[in-house]
Amino acid sequence: MMNGFLTYENLEVWMEARKLVSQIYGVSKEFPKEELYGLTNQIRRAAVSVPSNIAEGCGRNTTKDKLHFFYISRGSLFELETQMFVALDLNYISEDDKVNLKAQIELCKKLLNGFINYNKSKLQTKA
């Protein structure tokens, strides 16, 4: 905690989400140039949304506000997962890329769900 705000930089979920962003940027740089404003942009925006919304949630004052952004982050993980399958279907990524990305997405989901549940329990103890 720093000045009453949760310090997101030390959160494992935020660190793993940053790793996911790097992975996505790595594989998407090989996408066809005509996808620059299509799937490439979309998949990168979804990836960046994950750690960004975790950070934004940590900067909010109430647990309810924090949870709102953590849920947006979780939604972005599902969006990203779908875009990964689309990239696989279009042969923009390999099966190995899919396996590696899927594992990192699942790790982020697991960590984020735990973080959400932890914050939800804080709401219940206040009631």
Side-chain angles (χ1 to χ4, degrees), residues 96-110:
D96 285 345
D97 288 334
K98 190 236 9 167
V99 168
N100 293 331
L101 290 171
K102 179 83 168 144
Q104 190 66 21
I105 290 168
E106 289 302 319
L107 175 60
C108 289
K109 282 182 186 176
K110 177 183 170 190

Side-chain angles (χ1 to χ4, degrees), residues 20-75:
L20 178 59
V21 172
S22 294
Q23 285 181 289
I24 290 296
Y25 268 75
V27 298
S28 65
K29 72 181 179 188
E30 302 299 325
F31 287 8
K33 296 299 174 219
E34 65 266 16
E35 286 292 350
L36 185 59
Y37 300 107
L39 187 60
T40 304
N41 182 49
Q42 189 73 19
I43 200 168
R44 287 178 174 184
R45 288 170 56 96
V48 169
S49 174
V50 178
S52 297
N53 279 292
I54 292 167
E56 186 165 356
C58 289
R60 296 297 168 148
N61 287 325
T62 68
T63 302
K64 185 178 177 185
D65 284 345
K66 292 176 190 309
L67 283 167
H68 172 76
F69 287 94
F70 301 154
Y71 285 129
I72 291 171
S73 184
R74 187 169 69 181

